[in-house]
Amino acid sequence: MAVMALCACQKTERAPFNYRGLAFDLPVDQFVDSMQARGFAVDSAASDSGRTVVLASPDVHYRVLAAFNEQQLQVVQETYTLSTNDSTRQMWQELRDGLEKELEAWPDCPILKDDHKEANFDTGDGFISLLLENTYKPTLTVRYTKKNK
């Protein structure tokens, strides 16, 4: 009986799906306010006020696109701006390794070529996808997608 109680106490609840600590159930206005508090600014020229908000910060090497439906966040995508194919390959591997540790899960990797890689993590209530496409311009994106229930 004591062993069962000890096992029950050690069982940890998984945190709800989030983007860098911001829950996906936040209204878009709160999400944007929280990102602005982190130093991001809304790029109004790239945003569509009815569906998407694009955020940028001079302190990071990526832009954030948040897509929503009726004030409910659906997808958050980071697009990294790096200068070389080698730097995007290295960043992809570092992000993949970090997510493996954080989520304690192996990704599904349907594509693993030198210049085109994909890793998909299923978090239970959402997906995190890393996509590397090195063609003429190195592109690395990380997409957080909430599962619709």
Side-chain angles (χ1 to χ4, degrees):
M1 198 69 143
V3 172
M4 288 180 13
L6 180 62
C7 290
C9 290
Q10 290 180 345
K11 187 176 182 181
T12 58
E13 293 279 328
R14 181 179 259 184
F17 190 57
N18 68 78
Y19 168 73
R20 295 185 180 256
L22 299 174
F24 257 70
D25 56 3
L26 285 176
V28 172
D29 295 338
Q30 272 187 301
F31 178 83
V32 171
D33 289 345
S34 296
M35 291 297 287
Q36 288 175 327
R38 294 178 178 192
F40 284 82
V42 174
D43 180 347
S44 56
S47 299
D48 170 7
S49 61
R51 294 266 186 223
T52 61
V53 175
V54 177
L55 302 139
S57 170
D59 298 332
V60 296
H61 297 289
Y62 59 89
R63 294 170 58 83
V64 176
L65 177 133
F68 55 94
N69 185 15
E70 297 181 15
Q71 289 294 308
Q72 181 60 52
L73 198 56
Q74 298 296 314
V75 175
V76 175
Q77 179 174 299
E78 298 175 345
T79 303
Y80 286 78
T81 53
L82 300 164
S83 59
T84 67
N85 289 348
D86 288 340
S87 60
T88 55
R89 284 186 205 108
Q90 180 181 350
M91 173 82 62
W92 185 89
Q93 191 64 50
E94 289 170 2
L95 289 169
R96 178 183 173 223
D97 293 347
L99 284 168
E100 279 182 7
K101 279 186 175 181
E102 179 183 334
L103 300 172
E104 297 177 353
W106 289 94
D108 173 31
C109 295
I111 301 170
L112 280 177
K113 299 177 182 176
D114 280 346
D115 289 323
H116 189 182
K117 298 177 189 239
E118 186 175 339
N120 300 305
F121 292 88
D122 185 344
T123 67
D125 48 357
F127 297 102
I128 302 173
S129 300
L130 280 76
L131 182 60
L132 170 71
E133 294 179 296
N134 284 339
T135 53
Y136 297 108
K137 181 179 179 185
T139 305
L140 176 63
T141 57
V142 181
R143 185 177 304 131
Y144 296 74
T145 308
K146 181 180 177 180
K147 285 184 183 177
N148 292 324
K149 295 181 182 183

